Amino acid sequence: MISKEKLNILISEEDMKKRIGEVAAQINRDYAGKNLLVVGILKGAILFYADLVRLLDMDVQFDFMTISSYGNATDSTGEVKIRKDLDTSIVGRDVLIVEDIVDTGLTLKNLKEVLSTRKPASLKICTMLDKPSRRRVEIRPDYCCFEIPDRFVIGCGLDYAQWGRQFKDIWYVRPEFIDTL
Ligand code: 5GP
């Protein structure tokens, strides 16, 4: 389990809600009149996904993937293993990937490469959080709610050992507790 005594709030529920509204408005403008396949990456993106899709105006279909990434300090390519694939064909579709956080970028870069081979009409990335200072490969999300510093964060779907996903705010681990979680 995780105790909130070891955490501080980085982004409040209120600020996140407001910013998701702004990002949804941007997506509504960009995809006006189109239909969109919104692909959520399980499990971390689920709450952000639910908040975002409710604000989208265009015709939307849902799909989900579960992936695990194998990237480490010495491996600059990384690799994604698809644990649950899409149910839907994406050939000729406008696809929006919804992710919780972009860190090194390895997961999304590889996922984007895999999905591109399936010939979508377009493929964009929307992330709740981005840690650009940690990037190891060139990838830029098309939509992002907040750029954050290099901190381990929990809440709004993000976990520590599967705990804390339901926290309404984004919390970070206080530095003095980082080794005691
Ligand atoms: P990347 O391949 O960009 O390095 O890793 C992205 C994945 O790492 C995210 O989908 C998330 O599961 C995990 N991750 C990266 N940073 C954090 C963080 O600060 N907190 C949590 N809970 N997960 C993180």
Side-chain angles (χ1 to χ4, degrees):
M1 289 194 294
I2 181 128
S3 156
K4 281 191 180 163
E5 283 161 20
K6 297 180 178 178
L7 309 176
N8 279 344
I9 290 182
L10 184 66
I11 301 165
S12 69
E13 179 186 12
E14 195 190 347
D15 286 351
M16 181 59 81
K17 199 172 166 192
K18 183 161 170 270
R19 182 69 190 128
I20 293 174
E22 292 169 359
V23 169
Q26 230 182 318
I27 296 171
N28 283 334
R29 279 195 298 275
D30 293 353
Y31 292 93
K34 300 203 169 179
N35 63 68
L36 189 60
L37 182 68
V38 188
V39 173
I41 307 301
L42 299 172
K43 306 167 192 166
I46 187 157
L47 298 183
F48 173 50
Y49 184 102
D51 288 342
L52 182 74
V53 289
R54 275 184 281 210
L55 301 175
L56 298 182
D57 293 338
M58 75 295 293
D59 286 326
V60 157
Q61 286 181 319
F62 290 11
D63 210 337
F64 298 93
M65 292 181 90
T66 307
I67 53 184
S68 22
S69 69
Y70 300 109
N72 58 47
T74 54
D75 173 8
S76 62
T77 57
E79 206 184 300
V80 294
K81 185 166 168 65
I82 298 176
R83 301 202 169 276
K84 183 222 166 289
D85 206 340
L86 297 173
D87 297 327
T88 322
S89 162
I90 62 169
V91 178
R93 300 293 309 269
D94 290 307
V95 177
L96 182 66
I97 301 171
V98 175
E99 178 61 302
D100 50 6
I101 187 165
V102 189
D103 186 30
T104 64
L106 286 166
T107 308
L108 274 179
K109 184 167 193 289
N110 283 284
L111 180 64
K112 214 174 164 188
E113 278 168 15
V114 169
L115 293 185
S116 295
T117 64
R118 301 184 189 179
K119 307 273 182 278
S122 69
L123 183 59
K124 286 190 180 183
I125 295 170
C126 176
T127 187
M128 178 172 69
L129 301 175
D130 188 7
K131 284 192 218 173
S133 65
R134 295 253 312 157
R135 202 70 95 251
R136 292 184 46 228
V137 288
E138 179 96 13
I139 186 140
R140 246 183 94 84
D142 301 280
Y143 307 96
C144 170
C145 292
F146 291 99
E147 288 191 359
I148 63 166
D150 181 10
R151 290 214 163 116
F152 189 79
V153 288
I154 298 164
C156 297
L158 287 158
D159 71 308
Y160 170 73
Q162 302 301 327
W163 297 100
R165 290 193 194 274
Q166 88 283 17
F167 295 169
K168 293 194 171 89
D169 311 284
I170 298 285
W171 299 73
Y172 69 93
V173 182
R174 289 163 58 184
E176 62 269 38
F177 292 118
I178 200 90
D179 297 322
T180 69
L181 279 183

